[in-house]
Amino acid sequence: MDALLVTALPNVRYLSGFTGSNAAILLTPREATLFTDPRYTIQSAQECDCRVTITKNHLLPAVESAISRRKLKRIGIERDRLTFQAYDFLREKLPLGVEITPITAAVETLRMVKSPEEITRIRRSVNTNSKAFTAALTRLRPGMSENDLAAELDFQMRRHGAEGSAFETIVASGARAALPHARPTRNRIEPDQLLLIDMGATQDGYASDMTRTVFVGSAKSEWKRRYRAVLEAQLAAIAAIRAGVAAGKPDREARRVLAAHGLDKEFTHSTGHGLGLEIHEPPRIGKKETTILQAGMAITVEPGIYLKDKGGIRIEDTVLVTESGCEILTPTTKDLTVF
Ligand code: ZN
Ligand code: ZN
């Protein structure tokens, strides 16, 4: 490859430090050039130490002329990030003889193992997220709507130092907890119900991710039993994590435990995912994944069960893979909690 064209903004940020909303990087073995627009003239000079080209119009014509001028022949593009429109433009405008080669997850692969600086940021994000959870739940009252609680959680994230939430906060009460990705609604949180909260902060650019399922008023014994089963599955998955193990292993451990409780059919998603500059990053922690876990990867562990029209339970922590195991970064208790 003579050059790699990086257009995914999290990858641009990872490579250059640039945090703006419109940019691309042309990376050759010798140098990197960041392309952005005049809104970011000052900011790009502050954040990047690579060459910066400010262009008044769209970025791609400037990228195209840089490629032509430097007589670059083989250009890698980010296969699952570049839009079809941009691909079409490059194919049409680049001089004859220039070859465009789609590349999968080149920068994402680099991003899987976090640097000490990145780990510090993820720790901070995780702690902020947990503080926000504790602060918001002191305001939980029966009759409060899911929307109100979600707003309180988001507010507390910012108050405790986050830029915002890493994804739309999930608050699902009662039977709605059976929807793994429920949007909060105007539904009221009533006594003697389950309450599933999945939340994550973005702080210094880095995501955190945590799910807790708590009980409001009281907990029925069948749900207590199910809660203990999911917690056992989550702990078994965590116990299977260490450097050198395939990413499929923790997932299979979680399923094995749930199967022993007759609940594996209710576990309908994978056990976890990497996180960092984005909330979902490689590696995926799923049954058939063969990626080998390495020290410095930050991943989530989040088995869950979902019973239609009844409710659901998920327990999720953010953990850091180490040589001998993993460190659970999330400080929030997983003891069965009744509010
Ligand atoms: Zn989550
Ligand atoms: Zn997650």
Side-chain angles (χ1 to χ4, degrees):
M1 222 52 59
D2 294 329
L4 177 66
L5 175 60
V6 179
T7 45
L9 286 173
N11 290 341
V12 167
R13 178 167 183 170
Y14 182 76
L15 294 174
S16 70
F18 181 66
T19 62
S21 65
N22 184 34
I25 289 181
L26 186 67
L27 195 63
T28 73
R30 289 182 37 210
E31 61 175 3
T33 309
L34 179 104
F35 298 83
T36 185
D37 66 68
R39 291 173 300 166
Y40 293 117
T41 306
I42 299 170
Q43 188 180 321
S44 60
Q46 287 169 343
E47 291 178 337
C48 311
D49 51 17
C50 63
R51 174 208 290 261
V52 176
T53 298
I54 305 289
T55 167
K56 286 206 182 87
N57 301 309
H58 290 290
L59 305 183
L60 279 179
V63 171
E64 182 272 313
S65 67
I67 292 170
S68 302
R69 214 173 37 244
R70 288 174 218 187
K71 301 191 167 42
L72 304 170
K73 290 296 174 221
R74 296 190 65 209
I75 312 297
I77 54 159
E78 298 182 288
R79 155 177 257 142
D80 44 8
R81 303 281 204 164
L82 193 77
T83 64
F84 184 77
Q85 189 187 30
Y87 172 72
D88 226 24
F89 176 88
L90 290 173
R91 220 184 34 174
E92 202 170 291
K93 301 287 181 198
L94 281 171
L96 226 61
V98 175
E99 193 184 317
I100 302 174
T101 308
I103 308 221
T104 304
V107 183
E108 286 83 349
T109 305
L110 297 175
R111 283 169 48 194
M112 283 202 293
V113 174
K114 270 64 185 176
S115 69
E117 166 67 24
E118 290 182 290
I119 292 167
T120 301
R121 291 183 185 209
I122 291 169
R123 272 182 206 284
R124 228 181 273 148
S125 178
V126 165
N127 286 330
T128 293
N129 196 40
S130 285
K131 281 184 197 151
F133 174 84
T134 306
L137 283 189
T138 61
R139 289 161 190 264
L140 175 64
R141 299 283 178 276
M144 191 179 196
S145 74
E146 293 171 352
N147 269 338
D148 280 348
L149 182 58
E152 187 66 35
L153 290 162
D154 292 351
F155 172 70
Q156 293 294 348
M157 277 187 227
R158 285 213 177 215
R159 284 208 65 182
H160 285 87
E163 285 108 63
S165 57
F167 55 91
E168 204 180 322
T169 302
I170 295 171
V171 176
S173 62
R176 297 195 69 259
L179 309 173
H181 267 195
R183 281 230 165 84
T185 65
R186 288 196 298 236
N187 278 13
R188 303 213 168 268
I189 299 165
E190 305 290 357
D192 307 326
Q193 275 187 345
L194 283 168
L195 180 62
L196 187 151
I197 296 166
D198 188 349
M199 60 191 288
T202 300
Q203 188 160 350
D204 302 320
Y206 282 78
S208 47
D209 196 359
M210 168 176 83
T211 308
R212 288 293 180 267
T213 308
V214 300
F215 296 84
V216 180
S218 68
K220 288 203 183 98
S221 62
E222 52 180 354
W223 282 107
K224 280 188 190 167
R225 192 168 46 75
R226 290 175 187 134
Y227 186 91
R228 282 193 294 268
V230 174
L231 183 55
E232 191 188 328
Q234 204 244 9
L235 295 173
I238 287 173
I241 294 171
R242 67 179 161 75
V245 160
K249 181 83 189 304
D251 184 276
R252 291 193 296 275
E253 281 301 298
R255 277 173 221 285
R256 184 183 57 76
V257 170
L258 288 174
H261 291 278
L263 289 166
D264 51 321
K265 300 249 178 339
E266 281 72 34
F267 179 23
T268 49
H269 51 75
S270 57
T271 292
H273 53 88
L275 85 180
L277 284 170
E278 290 174 280
I279 184 64
H280 293 119
E281 300 185 358
R284 213 172 74 91
I285 312 300
K287 213 189 313 192
K288 291 182 181 145
E289 296 295 319
T290 53
T291 308
I292 300 298
L293 297 179
Q294 296 176 61
M297 286 180 171
I299 58 176
T300 70
V301 183
E302 50 179 306
I305 57 162
Y306 309 94
L307 285 79
K308 188 168 179 284
D309 300 328
K310 291 188 182 135
I313 294 171
R314 178 165 68 253
I315 303 171
E316 174 181 30
D317 286 328
T318 300
V319 311
L320 178 69
V321 181
T322 64
E323 290 298 342
S324 58
C326 72
E327 183 191 346
I328 302 174
L329 301 182
T330 309
T332 306
T333 182
K334 291 181 281 194
D335 293 344
L336 192 148
T337 308
V338 181
F339 280 89

